[in-house]
Amino acid sequence: MREKKRSRPEMRPVMLGTAVVLVLFLAGLLYLGVATWLQYKNSIIDKQKEQMLLITQAISENLEQYIQEAQADLESLSLAAEKLDDPDLAAGAREQLKTYADSHEGAVYDVVVLGKDGQITFRIRDSQVAQVFGSTTQEGQQVAQVQMEDKTLCLMLGGQLSQGGRLCLLIDLGNYYEKQIAQLHVGTNGYVLVKNSDGVILMHPEESQLGINVISGREELYPGVDLTSLNQLVEAQNQGGEGVMEYESYWWMDPDLPMVRKVAAWSPVHVGDDFLVVSAVMDYSDMYAPVAQGFIRLALVFLALTVCVTAMVLYLGKLMLDRQRSQAEISDLREINQALEELHRSEQAIAHQQRLQIMGTMTGGIAHEFNNLLTPILGHAELMLLDLPEDSELYDSAQEIAQAAGHCKEIIQQLSALSRKNVETVYKRPDAGEAFGRVMLNMAVNAVHAIGQKEGHIAITGRALGKEELEERGLTPPSRLWERYLCLDIRDDGCGMSSATLAQIFDPFFTTKKAGQGTGLGLSLADQIIRSHKGSITAESQVGQGSVFHILLPVAQAESIPSPALDGEQPTILLVGSSAKVLQMLSDSFRAMDVPVETARDWDEAAAVLERGAVDVLAADGGLEEERALDFCLSFQGKYPRLMKLLLVERPTREVLEAKNRGLIQGWLEKPVSAQAILEEAHRLLGEQAAGATTL
């Protein structure tokens, strides 16, 4: 490994030089590509605008010519219309007018002839003019934009007949749009529209837009839209000239009504002293999107070439370094061989320890099963001793059974000692100050690292909350045994964490800091400390928005409910255990000794009995989840000051001893136990309590 370490400084100049050259090359290529793209993009957009303007100019010229041809047809039709007054020629005139309308394939909406008295003498459709949007005069003829009763938009050309009366030719603007304009594609979503000088839309691909004002009509259809930029476009178009303009508007045919940047080119259609506006509209991004895709492909090709060149350079460097590494690898293999030998010896030691652990676990299980068998033997032997006369042979037999069970108990206790473990947990009642002292340092240091060099804030708040208040805040209490919890919140506005990081922050040795800046044990230790005090710690975070840690610690209840005095009577005992047979046997033994007794199969039943206030001694089976037994005692610490708490355990662990030293329980008995043993221990504890009260 020493040779490998010496070769590393020689590798660094080559790798550093290669990296510098690569970075400079990529930076130059990026700058050249961006500059070229911007120049090319602007050129493409300008050409596209010119093409859009040419399209509108062509449509404007076509529409002007179309109107002029219709006006010429109107003059020809006036000759036929004048014949309607001659009975001999009227039938032929009507046929001529009808044939004209039919020959134009829907372009002619109607031909209407009015007599001298203003009455209609000929018409093709039975539809009246519902609304007139604009009117002007050109070459002695009236030109108006109208909407019929069936919502059809028409260009109405009208002229006077020589013998009196009037002839009107109605051109279907929708038909003209479908045949002459609708087939033109302007980008992906673009379209061409025609409106009059007052802003009323006459031709549009969407029927809902026809006949409405381009500003006020859309304000009614789409309340709340921003039409500031569109209004500026309309003002420019109303000048009567042509041009191109970029503006912000919406795609009216899209139900989601997205707001986009558009480009509009327009050209006027002169009709008498008025004009129409032909406008082509296109999405701004459509102008350069196809070119951008091609440019991106070209950039990817250049990038691939760059990667290939870089790979070749790195490969040449690798060939130069392989010769130096060969010497170091021989040394590495030698050291690896030594490490493997040490690992083999360590594995043998670990296997031996595992065998010892398995033996301890087996002996612990055997001891537990024998205790469950000895408990009823001792109990029933005591019942027999209480019921039988002392001079009978059965009394001696029962006494022999009790003595033999006692010897078995001693043997089981010796076996149980083989499986004992060093339990470090210590139960106590910390105050808020102690919780801050043991936990806050690691949390604050982590918050400082999350904020980094920038200015930030760390807020630490705390308050006592009930279980319902915690659930309203989205927090889950670690246990249902306590009614209130001290809630500590540590909040910072640092860099935050991703969901993947958040899921691992309490794992030992996990850290996001650089090597040498953290061990990854801070939050893990904080989590162990908090859990050892029957609390919990959770975290919420989002990248870039900071983090908040929630710490919940149970609050001991100080409420005092006095227990009744004994006055020389037998104490009332509450037995808590999971075995119905054992509870029944112990209950029978206590009742045979005239000792009041209550039983409970779980902690909820036990809590209900304690609330009635008729218990002097609590004897809880540690086998009913030993930690939960201690938790149960801890949950009402201080609430029943005269209650004696006795734990029935397989063996006295360090946790049980600490609980007794701190007053969480007053005593413990190793199983198997008998009613007599429980009663004697209860009298002893109650005597110590009475002596202490007298001394005080």
Side-chain angles (χ1 to χ4, degrees):
M1 295 297 289
R2 290 191 296 272
E3 295 177 7
K4 188 174 181 180
K5 291 179 180 178
R6 285 198 300 269
S7 68
R8 287 178 180 171
E10 299 175 6
M11 296 170 56
R12 290 175 182 171
V14 177
M15 297 179 65
L16 182 60
T18 303
V20 171
V21 172
L22 180 60
V23 169
L24 292 177
F25 177 75
L26 290 177
L29 184 63
L30 180 62
Y31 174 78
L32 180 61
V34 171
T36 304
W37 162 245
L38 291 177
Q39 182 180 3
Y40 190 56
K41 173 186 173 183
N42 293 332
S43 175
I44 291 296
I45 291 176
D46 292 340
K47 290 184 180 299
Q48 190 70 43
K49 289 180 179 178
E50 293 177 2
Q51 292 179 2
M52 291 179 64
L53 186 57
L54 290 175
I55 290 174
T56 59
Q57 290 173 346
I59 296 175
S60 299
E61 294 174 359
N62 182 272
L63 185 54
E64 284 184 1
Q65 184 178 359
Y66 187 77
I67 295 173
Q68 292 173 1
E69 292 176 355
Q71 289 178 322
D73 291 345
L74 185 66
E75 293 179 358
S76 300
L77 292 174
S78 62
L79 299 176
E82 291 175 350
K83 297 177 182 179
L84 293 174
D85 293 335
D86 189 339
D88 296 331
L89 302 176
R94 291 189 180 91
E95 184 63 26
Q96 185 179 356
L97 294 174
K98 187 175 183 301
T99 301
Y100 170 80
D102 294 340
S103 64
H104 283 77
E105 299 178 353
V108 176
Y109 178 82
D110 201 357
V111 178
V112 182
V113 180
L114 302 176
K116 298 177 182 179
D117 55 358
Q119 298 296 320
I120 297 175
T121 61
F122 177 82
R123 71 188 320 170
I124 297 175
R125 295 176 182 266
D126 187 16
S127 179
Q128 301 291 334
V129 174
Q131 186 175 2
V132 179
F133 296 119
S135 178
T136 186
T137 302
Q138 178 171 301
E139 298 180 359
Q141 296 180 355
Q142 182 186 13
V143 182
Q145 310 102 43
V146 300
Q147 187 174 39
M148 309 305 290
E149 290 178 340
D150 60 358
K151 303 300 181 181
T152 302
L153 287 173
C154 295
L155 188 67
M156 186 175 71
L157 308 177
Q160 295 293 332
L161 299 175
S162 60
Q163 298 178 0
R166 186 174 179 82
L167 173 63
C168 296
L169 177 61
L170 287 93
I171 306 300
D172 190 337
L173 294 178
N175 180 273
Y176 175 83
Y177 187 85
E178 289 294 329
K179 292 182 177 180
Q180 304 294 331
I181 301 177
Q183 304 304 320
L184 297 175
H185 296 285
V186 187
T188 304
N189 301 319
Y191 55 88
V192 178
L193 63 91
V194 179
K195 56 190 175 183
N196 66 10
S197 58
D198 293 328
V200 176
I201 300 175
L202 304 176
M203 303 183 199
H204 195 282
E206 179 65 28
E207 292 185 2
S208 63
Q209 303 292 312
L210 295 174
I212 67 171
N213 187 278
V214 71
I215 299 297
S216 60
R218 285 171 175 168
E219 287 178 341
E220 293 179 3
L221 288 176
Y222 314 102
V225 296
D226 184 5
L227 301 179
T228 304
S229 184
L230 180 60
N231 194 38
Q232 295 174 355
L233 172 66
V234 173
E235 291 178 355
Q237 293 175 341
N238 288 342
Q239 301 299 318
E242 61 183 22
V244 181
M245 180 176 176
E246 298 176 11
Y247 67 106
E248 304 291 335
S249 184
Y250 305 85
W251 285 125
W252 310 107
M253 293 177 285
D254 191 329
D256 296 332
L257 210 66
M259 189 173 188
V260 296
R261 186 168 185 80
K262 296 181 179 180
V263 177
W266 68 91
S267 182
V269 179
H270 296 286
V271 182
D273 57 357
D274 199 3
F275 62 91
L276 304 178
V277 178
V278 177
S279 178
V281 180
M282 183 178 182
D283 195 319
Y284 183 82
S285 63
D286 284 347
M287 291 187 168
Y288 60 86
V291 181
Q293 294 177 359
F295 195 85
I296 290 174
R297 295 190 187 99
L298 183 61
L300 291 175
V301 172
F302 276 108
L303 181 61
L305 291 175
T306 303
V307 171
C308 292
V309 172
T310 305
M312 291 179 62
V313 173
L314 293 176
Y315 180 70
L316 291 175
K318 178 180 179 298
L319 292 178
M320 294 172 59
L321 296 174
D322 282 345
R323 191 172 183 179
Q324 298 177 359
R325 291 177 177 174
S326 60
Q327 296 293 332
E329 288 177 355
I330 296 174
S331 177
D332 291 345
L333 290 173
R334 186 181 298 111
E335 293 184 6
I336 290 173
N337 184 53
Q338 295 176 356
L340 289 174
E341 292 179 354
E342 294 178 359
L343 178 62
H344 180 66
R345 290 192 292 268
S346 299
E347 289 177 347
Q348 290 180 335
I350 292 173
H352 178 67
Q353 293 295 330
Q354 289 177 340
R355 287 193 292 270
L356 293 178
Q357 184 177 5
I358 292 172
M359 291 177 61
T361 303
M362 291 178 61
T363 55
I366 293 172
H368 174 75
E369 294 299 329
F370 269 95
N371 282 336
N372 291 337
L373 295 174
L374 287 176
T375 298
I377 293 175
L378 284 172
H380 287 292
E382 286 188 353
L383 287 175
M384 293 173 64
L385 291 173
L386 290 173
D387 294 337
L388 296 172
E390 295 184 0
D391 56 352
S392 67
E393 293 183 1
L394 291 178
Y395 183 88
D396 294 336
S397 298
Q399 196 169 30
E400 287 292 334
I401 293 174
Q403 291 176 355
H407 290 305
C408 289
K409 177 180 177 180
E410 295 176 0
I411 296 173
I412 293 303
Q413 289 174 349
Q414 293 174 4
L415 287 174
S416 180
L418 295 176
S419 61
R420 294 187 180 182
K421 297 181 181 179
N422 186 18
V423 181
E424 299 293 342
T425 305
V426 177
Y427 292 92
K428 60 179 182 178
R429 298 172 59 193
D431 57 14
E434 181 180 355
F436 272 94
R438 295 197 64 186
V439 178
M440 292 301 105
L441 179 60
N442 282 330
M443 310 299 296
V445 169
N446 282 339
V448 170
H449 282 291
I451 294 172
Q453 300 298 324
K454 68 175 184 178
E455 181 178 356
H457 303 83
I458 302 174
I460 302 176
T461 58
R463 59 180 298 186
L465 300 174
K467 289 187 291 186
E468 295 182 356
E469 294 174 300
L470 290 174
E471 293 174 353
E472 291 176 356
R473 297 181 59 181
L475 300 176
T476 303
S479 174
R480 61 182 176 82
L481 296 177
W482 283 271
E483 293 296 329
R484 295 176 64 79
Y485 287 84
L486 174 63
C487 180
L488 304 175
D489 293 338
I490 303 94
R491 188 182 303 272
D492 66 71
D493 54 0
C495 60
M497 296 176 284
S498 65
S499 57
T501 301
L502 191 63
Q504 305 177 70
I505 56 175
F506 296 111
D507 293 345
F509 305 105
F510 175 78
T511 180
T512 58
K513 301 172 185 175
K514 296 181 180 179
Q517 295 184 2
T519 62
L521 292 175
L523 289 178
S524 176
L525 290 174
D527 181 53
Q528 291 182 15
I529 293 173
I530 292 168
R531 289 182 183 277
S532 69
H533 290 89
K534 304 306 173 186
S536 67
I537 177 172
T538 56
E540 300 176 22
S541 184
Q542 290 187 358
V543 176
Q545 299 185 17
S547 306
V548 57
F549 287 80
H550 305 289
I551 299 176
L552 299 179
L553 293 172
V555 177
Q557 301 183 34
E559 180 183 358
S560 176
I561 300 178
S563 300
L566 296 178
D567 296 331
E569 299 178 356
Q570 292 283 20
T572 300
I573 297 176
L574 170 60
L575 295 174
V576 184
S578 59
S579 175
K581 292 182 178 180
V582 173
L583 290 179
Q584 184 63 44
M585 180 272 296
L586 292 175
S587 299
D588 293 342
S589 298
F590 280 124
R591 292 188 178 96
M593 295 184 290
D594 295 327
V595 176
V597 63
E598 298 277 355
T599 61
R601 293 285 301 277
D602 54 43
W603 305 122
D604 291 335
E605 293 183 17
V609 175
L610 291 176
E611 286 294 330
R612 296 199 295 267
V615 177
D616 301 301
V617 178
L618 168 66
D621 184 3
L624 188 61
E625 301 181 34
E626 182 174 317
E627 291 187 4
R628 293 294 307 278
L630 293 176
D631 290 348
F632 180 67
C633 295
L634 182 61
S635 66
F636 57 80
Q637 187 177 12
K639 191 173 182 180
Y640 308 106
R642 296 182 59 186
L643 177 66
M644 294 291 104
K645 288 158 283 187
L646 188 63
L647 201 63
L648 310 179
V649 298
E650 299 285 349
R651 59 184 183 277
T653 62
R654 179 178 298 179
E655 193 172 28
V656 173
L657 295 175
E658 290 286 349
K660 182 178 182 300
N661 292 336
R662 296 184 179 277
L664 177 61
I665 61 175
Q666 280 68 47
W668 50 267
L669 287 174
E670 289 190 55
K671 297 190 297 184
V673 295
S674 62
Q676 184 64 36
I678 294 174
L679 183 61
E680 291 176 357
E681 183 67 13
H683 278 292
R684 186 185 69 80
L685 295 176
L686 291 172
E688 291 179 354
Q689 183 187 59
T694 303
T695 304
L696 292 176

